[in-house]
């Protein structure tokens, strides 16, 4: 049998054919394998293909042959990711506001290559990206990578930070001044990605929207604030910060209707103690960073939640209600 022009790519093309055209429910016969290789100008006899299929298993691509009728049918089994797992990844990518629409589609196309063409169609049917609110900062991947590199190298980072103005233009904060921050972690909250770091000048922990960071670079200075972050549980910090807005951490007492028990557990976890008051209400003490966003969260739950203490926070809520009353002239 004369050799084709691309014989040196034989094993690669065989892996591609098996991965794309077969899965748990779709098989391919030996004649079909030979025909598919010929499309790439590669010739092969059955004996060499049997050997190549065994070589693919050594490379981590497990092939199973099943006798059907008078011949064998072959397919890939045991992929790195199962289809339900990839669907979860697709959903996570789609729902992430910090990933641009273009990058979202590019990532999903890459995930599709990890399954057969048949399962790839099932992933495609889940893609509903157009029209969703997405970040417009294409450099976010490089920003995240730079933050991780700085953490690994134990270095500070410098960057500029922007906001949108009423003309829908990017406007640098603090007249374009450079922020000099010690990065200690990344947090995903309310569909946004945040850098959590230590501001040495202010002497406290701060967080920044990653998609609003520009021109990031690693500093020569070593990170500071280790003593703060040794005592910090990052997940706990995110849970206490509503919308990642800062504020004084305080223990808040709430009176909550039983119908909102799920809301409280979803927000603060199952470890909190909910003390029954009567057949309809319970009280709960939770640690939060008190901010206007937290007060707004309590207010949004309506008459089924009441802030009981401490007194200074109750006064903040009353002041906020008076402000709203004056603002809307009720």
């Amino acid at each position: 049998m004369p050799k084709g022009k691309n014989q040196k790519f034989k094993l690669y093309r065989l892996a591609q054919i098996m991965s794309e055209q077969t899965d748990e429910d779709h098989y391919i016969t030996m004649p079909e394998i030979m025909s598919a290789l010929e499309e790439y100008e590669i010739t092969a006899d059955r004996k060499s293909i049997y050997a190549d299929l065994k070589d693919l298993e050594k490379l981590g691509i497990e092939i199973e042959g099943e006798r059907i009728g008078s011949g064998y049918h072959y397919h890939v089994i045991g992929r790195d990711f199962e289809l339900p797992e990839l669907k979860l990844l697709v959903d996570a990518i789609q729902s992430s506001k910090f990933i641009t629409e273009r990058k979202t589609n590019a990532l999903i196309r890459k995930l599709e290559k990890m399954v057969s063409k048949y399962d790839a169609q099932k992933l495609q049917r889940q893609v509903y990206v157009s029209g969703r609110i997405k970040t417009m900062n294409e450099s976010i991947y490089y920003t995240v990578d730079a933050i991780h590199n700085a953490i690994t190298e134990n270095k500070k980072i410098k960057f500029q930070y922007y906001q949108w103005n009423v003309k829908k233009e990017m406007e640098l904060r603090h007249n374009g001044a450079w922020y000099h921050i010690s990065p200690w972690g990344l947090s995903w909250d309310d569909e946004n990605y945040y850098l959590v770091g230590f501001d040495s000048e202010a002497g406290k922990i701060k967080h920044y929207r990653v998609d609003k960071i520009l021109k990031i670079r690693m500093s020569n200075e070593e990170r500071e604030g280790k003593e703060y972050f040794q005592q910090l549980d990052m997940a706990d910090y995110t849970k206490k910060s509503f919308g990642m807005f800062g504020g004084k951490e305080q223990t808040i007492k709430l009176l909550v209707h039983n119908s909102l028990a799920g809301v409280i557990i979803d927000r603060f976890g199952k470890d909190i103690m909910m003390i029954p008051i009567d057949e309809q209400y319970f009280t709960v003490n939770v640690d939060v960073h008190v901010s206007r966003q937290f007060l707004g969260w309590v207010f949004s739950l309506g008459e089924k939640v009441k802030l009981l203490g401490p007194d200074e926070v109750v006064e903040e809520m009353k002041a906020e209600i008076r402000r709203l009353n004056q603002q809307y002239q009720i």
Side-chain angles (χ1 to χ4, degrees):
M1 178 182 293
K3 292 186 176 181
K5 296 180 180 179
N6 298 313
Q7 290 300 116
K8 61 182 178 180
F9 300 117
K10 180 184 172 187
L11 194 62
Y12 166 75
R13 289 302 185 187
L14 181 60
Q16 183 181 2
I17 291 166
M18 297 304 299
S19 296
E20 290 181 357
Q21 299 189 26
T22 75
D23 54 35
E24 292 288 346
D25 301 314
H26 298 87
Y27 299 77
I28 190 169
T29 64
M30 184 60 68
E32 288 171 336
I33 293 174
M34 296 170 69
S35 177
L37 285 171
E38 287 177 3
E39 292 182 10
Y40 293 110
E41 299 187 72
I42 298 171
T43 57
D45 56 29
R46 291 173 178 267
K47 187 177 180 180
S48 68
I49 293 177
Y50 290 140
D52 289 335
L53 290 176
K54 290 182 179 180
D55 287 339
L56 288 183
E57 291 188 7
K58 295 177 183 178
L59 296 175
I61 303 175
E62 190 174 356
I63 308 295
E64 182 179 75
E66 180 179 344
R67 188 174 184 84
I68 300 178
S70 60
Y72 275 84
H73 290 61
Y74 302 88
H75 68 137
V76 173
I77 60 174
R79 295 175 185 265
D80 290 339
F81 287 91
E82 296 179 6
L83 184 60
E85 294 173 328
L86 290 174
K87 286 181 178 179
L88 285 175
L89 293 176
V90 167
D91 289 343
I93 292 168
Q94 289 175 331
S95 63
S96 301
K97 291 170 63 177
F98 65 85
I99 304 178
T100 64
E101 185 172 329
R102 188 173 70 87
K103 288 291 187 182
T104 293
N105 289 322
L107 282 172
I108 292 173
R109 283 195 297 271
K110 290 179 180 179
L111 290 178
E112 290 172 0
K113 293 180 180 179
M114 304 187 74
V115 293
S116 70
K117 61 182 180 181
Y118 308 102
D119 283 345
Q121 292 174 356
K122 297 175 184 177
L123 291 178
Q124 290 168 4
R125 285 201 292 270
Q126 289 200 341
V127 179
Y128 304 106
V129 175
S130 296
R132 290 193 179 184
I133 298 174
K134 288 279 193 176
T135 181
M136 287 169 276
N137 185 355
E138 288 284 353
S139 65
I140 187 168
Y141 289 95
Y142 311 105
T143 300
V144 170
D145 190 51
I147 292 170
H148 281 300
N149 287 338
I151 292 173
T152 301
E153 298 292 330
N154 195 38
K155 299 293 185 181
K156 291 183 180 180
I157 52 175
K158 289 184 176 181
F159 58 86
Q160 291 179 305
Y161 203 57
Y162 79 87
Q163 62 187 4
W164 294 103
N165 62 26
V166 294
K167 296 180 181 179
K168 301 180 182 178
E169 298 170 333
M170 291 171 58
E171 184 176 80
L172 292 176
R173 298 284 298 271
H174 303 310
N175 296 316
W178 289 85
Y179 291 66
H180 202 187
I181 303 297
S182 299
W184 287 95
L186 287 160
S187 176
W188 191 351
D189 182 74
D190 193 26
E191 300 185 22
N192 289 308
Y193 221 179
Y194 292 88
L195 158 68
V196 181
F198 183 73
D199 184 335
S200 300
E201 186 175 337
K204 63 180 181 180
I205 296 170
K206 291 186 177 181
H207 42 258
Y208 307 86
R209 280 265 299 271
V210 173
D211 59 304
K212 294 188 176 182
I213 291 175
L214 296 174
K215 299 180 181 178
I216 188 169
R217 62 187 65 172
M218 190 186 300
S219 168
N220 292 324
E221 296 183 25
E222 293 192 354
R223 291 186 299 170
E224 297 179 321
K226 183 177 181 179
E227 64 277 12
Y228 289 84
F229 283 88
Q230 284 179 330
Q231 305 170 20
L232 181 68
D233 182 324
M234 193 70 73
D236 187 57
Y237 175 79
T238 303
K239 179 178 67 176
K240 294 175 181 178
S241 302
F242 282 72
M244 292 301 287
F245 284 89
K248 179 182 177 182
E249 183 176 336
Q250 298 186 66
T251 300
I252 305 300
K253 186 174 184 178
L254 299 172
L255 177 68
V256 185
H257 192 271
N258 291 342
S259 62
L260 294 184
V263 174
I264 299 299
I265 292 173
D266 286 343
R267 178 71 217 192
F268 299 103
K270 293 177 67 176
D271 293 335
I272 57 172
M273 184 176 295
M274 300 189 296
I275 303 173
I277 297 300
D278 54 33
E279 294 183 356
Q280 297 188 59
Y281 286 87
F282 64 89
T283 61
V284 61
N285 292 326
V286 294
D287 295 327
V288 303
H289 295 154
V290 178
S291 63
R292 181 172 285 177
Q293 285 66 35
F294 165 69
L295 298 178
W297 177 78
V298 174
F299 192 79
S300 71
L301 298 176
E303 70 281 358
K304 293 186 177 181
V305 175
K306 183 178 180 180
L307 186 59
L308 298 181
D311 291 343
E312 62 179 286
V313 180
V314 173
E315 290 303 316
E316 286 186 47
M317 175 64 86
K318 290 179 179 179
E320 183 66 10
I321 293 172
R322 288 194 294 270
R323 184 192 66 78
L324 290 170
N325 184 52
Q326 184 177 6
Q327 182 174 344
Y328 292 97
Q329 298 180 350
I330 298 174

